[in-house]
Amino acid sequence: TLKSQSRISNRRKKAKSDKNTQCKTKLNFISRRKSKTRQKVAKFRRKTDFNNVVQSLSAEDNVAQPGTVIFRELNLISPSESERERRLVSGMIPRSTARSRWLVVVAAVTLLHLLDGGAWCKRVRGNDPADETVLIVVSYDAFRTEYLRRGSASYMAELGHNGTWAEYLRNVFPTKTFPNHHSIATGVFPNQHGVMANGLYDHGRGKINYSYDLFHFNEELVPIWTLNEQHGGHSGCMMWPGSDFPYTRGNITCSHLQPFNLTLPWNDRVDTAFRWIRDPTRPANLVMLYIEEPDYYGHIYSPESDRVAQLVVKLNDLTRYIHDKIREFGLVERVNVLHLSDHGMDSLMPKNFINLTSFVPADMKFDVYGSTPVLQVVPKVKQQTADLYRALKNASEKSGNFDVYTLENLPTRWHFNNSQRTGPITAVAKLGYGFDDMWDTVEYYRKAFNVSVTSETKYGVHGYDNELPIMHPIFFGYGPRIRERTTVEPFDTVDLYYLFCELLGLDAPYYLDGKREHIVAVLRNDSRDDDDDDPSGTSARTVTLMGKTKQEFTKTSNLPKFKGNSNVKA
């Protein structure tokens, strides 16, 4: 019995010793596998610059360590790492599967990048910032196409003819400042971006003026300055409408920003813009420069006034100043400048103000939103909408001075049918007419600017049908990537986003309302010689745009060529 107990005890001790040895062996193996796994993770991160991806995601989308989430979902790091090692050691999963996990990670990262259009990860810019292409977009508010034909705008006209210019742009309706500037910035029509007027009625939020809410109807849209920031560039926005608000889930703002400030002189604005471009740490490769004239004084004194004529001279000088600065800082081979406006302007006299309340019964009350010549008409009693529409429609047909629409019968070409931000009734004045909301504006001008008021005093107004030539904006461009001495067919304001993307080297979003083929003729084709001259002194250029072919003949002897150190003068 004693011998049997001794043998059993020895067997137990030996088994315990063998078990301890086996456990130590397994633990050592697991430790080695953990170490190798960590090395692979570190190697993968270095190889794909994964840390930059994580930082980009965390900063832009407020996502905490998305890379860790990806690894954890694939059981490549803690807390599931030890469990995975246990299964690997025990043979529950094959080693080939473990190795293939890394391929899955690479595929997952690539897929995320493709699905989000690259916006979630900043593009790596390998070029020296000192050699990077720069785009400056200059908007002269309410600069009519007719102003360019005046001798006082000779430098602007000469610059346009030496570069690329269009007779006009097709802007969006209503031909107001905020809707058109935001269509330029987003590449979509007002019914998509929701900025239907400078001030409007929102069925869900009530009255909205200039604010975050006005410019954030559609959160999916990305303004061009935000897209540039997402892809590693630096944007500078000088008083551009809507630019002083953050956009996207990452609340991205411009690297450089100057809010609206009428007291800031124009030359100082230009000087600030070039400081942004030459900034040593955040050099701007996109500058959106807004100039409030000739709109501001055009409203007060009318576009035919001497005051506006003087402003055209000053804007011509400002344009020269911009291009002088480009040469002064040695940026001729880098900077492309697009000069444009948002709309034109026409004159309006008080004798042509229309009183809508005079056309409806006294018991039919309504509110109006917006401003002449486009008003949203909202009845105080919803059940009276049909009766109110019929009364105003009958009056419009009799007078012929304005039109009235419901949401359903608005002209399709206006792209104005936004169910949330278009009133149940829309009244649109004909050219030369306006509504009696203008009386408040007239009274302000009388007090603030000492403007005398008679029935024939002329004021400036815009917002009319965008097919009217007097509402059309200007466009011309000049720079190393823009064709020389080229006239293109008029194109749409919403096409400009594609042009911005081409000049900045960005991929355009999928949702744009414009068409890329409308702007390709603006761009210089590096594969051909733009400076070939005909021996006769006349150059012939065929420009294909929007399916049309146009043969242009210009006297090269009168038009200087674009050169690196050329000095374009009027």
Side-chain angles (χ1 to χ4, degrees):
T1 302
L2 291 174
K3 287 182 179 181
S4 297
Q5 290 178 350
S6 178
R7 284 196 297 271
I8 292 171
S9 177
N10 290 336
R11 288 196 196 101
R12 287 177 178 174
K13 289 180 181 180
K14 185 178 181 181
K16 187 175 182 180
S17 176
D18 292 343
K19 187 175 181 180
N20 289 339
T21 302
Q22 187 178 14
C23 288
K24 287 181 181 180
T25 302
K26 285 188 176 182
L27 287 174
N28 290 336
F29 179 80
I30 291 173
S31 178
R32 288 196 301 271
R33 290 299 300 173
K34 278 187 175 182
S35 178
K36 289 182 179 180
T37 302
R38 292 192 184 97
Q39 290 174 7
K40 287 183 178 180
V41 171
K43 183 178 179 181
F44 176 79
R45 284 176 171 168
R46 289 194 301 270
K47 195 171 182 179
T48 61
D49 199 18
F50 198 82
N51 287 330
N52 289 339
V53 176
V54 172
Q55 291 172 7
S56 176
L57 277 165
S58 299
E60 294 186 10
D61 293 326
N62 295 323
V63 178
Q65 299 297 317
T68 304
V69 175
I70 294 173
F71 277 97
R72 187 171 295 152
E73 289 297 323
L74 296 173
N75 293 329
L76 291 178
I77 63 172
S78 60
S80 59
E81 183 182 52
S82 59
E83 173 63 17
R84 177 181 174 277
E85 292 294 346
R86 184 190 66 77
R87 289 184 290 153
L88 184 66
V89 172
S90 62
M92 293 172 64
I93 57 175
R95 297 183 185 277
S96 58
T97 302
R99 286 193 294 269
S100 67
R101 299 283 191 180
W102 298 104
L103 297 177
V104 177
V105 172
V106 175
V109 173
T110 304
L111 181 61
L112 282 174
H113 179 75
L114 293 175
L115 288 176
D116 203 23
W120 71 289
C121 176
K122 289 186 178 180
R123 183 177 61 193
V124 177
R125 290 177 173 265
N127 296 334
D128 186 345
D131 299 327
E132 191 171 14
T133 298
V134 177
L135 171 61
I136 301 176
V137 181
V138 187
S139 174
Y140 313 89
D141 199 331
F143 200 103
R144 301 197 312 194
T145 56
E146 174 266 329
Y147 296 156
L148 280 181
R149 294 190 287 272
R150 298 183 181 183
S152 55
S154 57
Y155 180 84
M156 299 174 76
E158 184 77 5
L159 188 68
H161 285 288
N162 285 337
T164 293
W165 77 290
E167 186 178 351
Y168 61 88
L169 287 179
R170 288 188 296 270
N171 48 357
V172 302
F173 178 85
T175 49
K176 294 279 190 178
T177 298
F178 293 170
N180 274 274
H181 275 89
H182 211 48
S183 284
I184 292 170
T186 60
V188 298
F189 290 111
N191 62 346
Q192 298 298 320
H193 61 59
V195 185
M196 314 294 289
N198 293 355
L200 52 82
Y201 173 77
D202 186 293
H203 290 268
R205 301 176 180 178
K207 186 176 182 180
I208 299 178
N209 290 317
Y210 189 86
S211 62
Y212 178 94
D213 288 339
L214 179 63
F215 291 91
H216 285 77
F217 171 77
N218 188 343
E219 296 288 0
E220 298 300 317
L221 303 181
V222 182
I224 186 62
W225 56 80
T226 304
L227 185 72
N228 184 54
E229 294 277 348
Q230 285 180 322
H231 287 78
H234 296 291
S235 304
C237 294
M238 175 64 70
M239 306 187 193
W240 193 278
S243 65
D244 43 349
F245 304 111
Y247 291 87
T248 73
R249 291 175 298 169
N251 291 323
I252 299 174
T253 57
C254 297
S255 294
H256 308 278
L257 177 66
Q258 171 59 58
F260 190 75
N261 179 8
L262 281 176
T263 64
L264 189 62
W266 294 348
N267 283 10
D268 290 355
R269 302 181 198 183
V270 174
D271 292 341
T272 299
F274 279 97
R275 281 197 296 272
W276 293 345
I277 293 171
R278 300 168 66 239
D279 188 283
T281 57
R282 297 181 300 165
N285 66 314
L286 170 64
V287 173
M288 309 292 286
L289 175 59
Y290 170 78
I291 305 296
E292 72 279 0
E293 296 293 2
D295 181 83
Y296 187 80
Y297 282 108
H299 279 297
I300 303 169
Y301 300 105
S302 89
E304 290 84 16
S305 64
D306 292 339
R307 181 65 65 92
V308 169
Q310 295 168 7
L311 286 170
V312 172
V313 174
K314 292 181 179 180
L315 291 169
N316 186 66
D317 292 340
L318 177 67
T319 304
R320 187 194 305 273
Y321 185 75
I322 292 171
H323 288 270
D324 284 346
K325 285 295 179 182
I326 292 174
R327 289 187 291 274
E328 177 184 334
F329 294 122
L331 300 172
V332 174
E333 295 294 346
R334 290 181 54 202
V335 176
N336 300 282
V337 189
L338 300 179
H339 301 269
L340 50 87
S341 60
D342 51 352
H343 51 71
M345 182 176 281
D346 194 27
S347 294
L348 174 63
M349 296 181 287
K351 67 179 183 180
N352 290 333
F353 292 173
I354 301 168
N355 182 5
L356 291 179
T357 57
S358 65
F359 302 129
V360 300
D363 62 342
M364 196 174 293
K365 305 295 183 180
F366 60 89
D367 295 318
V368 294
Y369 299 86
S371 60
T372 289
V374 181
L375 295 181
Q376 291 176 288
V377 182
V378 182
K380 291 184 177 294
V381 179
K382 188 175 181 180
Q383 289 75 11
Q384 293 182 336
T385 301
D387 293 336
L388 178 60
Y389 170 73
R390 280 193 294 269
L392 294 175
K393 185 66 175 176
N394 291 335
S396 70
E397 291 174 349
K398 290 179 181 179
S399 69
N401 299 332
F402 68 102
D403 293 313
V404 181
Y405 305 94
T406 63
L407 181 63
E408 292 74 24
N409 63 13
L410 282 163
T412 304
R413 62 181 177 84
W414 282 352
H415 303 278
F416 197 65
N417 54 334
N418 183 306
S419 59
Q420 184 171 332
R421 292 192 168 185
T422 302
I425 301 171
T426 301
V428 182
K430 296 289 185 67
L431 191 66
Y433 291 87
F435 299 109
D436 60 357
D437 66 300
M438 276 293 296
W439 283 116
D440 292 336
T441 303
V442 167
E443 181 62 15
Y444 170 74
Y445 292 159
R446 185 185 69 80
K447 292 180 178 179
F449 300 95
N450 197 29
V451 176
S452 60
V453 180
T454 69
S455 62
E456 296 189 349
T457 301
K458 290 184 177 181
Y459 303 95
V461 175
H462 53 84
Y464 298 99
D465 193 332
N466 57 336
E467 280 195 343
L468 296 169
I470 204 165
M471 291 293 109
H472 288 161
I474 63 169
F475 172 83
F476 60 93
Y478 193 83
R481 292 203 58 202
I482 297 172
R483 278 183 167 176
E484 302 172 63
R485 304 182 306 282
T486 299
T487 302
V488 298
E489 294 285 344
F491 56 94
D492 295 299
T493 291
V494 293
D495 298 328
L496 287 167
Y497 201 108
Y498 277 108
L499 183 57
F500 300 158
C501 288
E502 290 291 333
L503 292 172
L504 292 170
L506 302 174
D507 292 331
Y510 68 91
Y511 54 73
L512 300 182
D513 285 331
K515 294 182 179 179
R516 183 184 178 278
E517 56 265 30
H518 289 182
I519 55 89
V520 291
V522 176
L523 300 168
R524 179 188 292 269
N525 183 357
D526 294 333
S527 64
R528 67 170 178 80
D529 186 359
D530 277 346
D531 297 332
D532 285 344
D533 292 339
D534 188 275
S536 64
T538 301
S539 68
R541 176 168 301 147
T542 301
V543 176
T544 303
L545 193 63
M546 292 181 285
K548 300 179 181 179
T549 300
K550 182 176 181 180
Q551 193 78 10
E552 298 173 353
F553 296 90
T554 55
K555 290 291 183 180
T556 57
S557 58
N558 297 328
L559 295 174
K561 300 177 183 179
F562 179 88
K563 295 181 180 179
N565 57 358
S566 63
N567 186 5
V568 180
K569 295 184 179 180

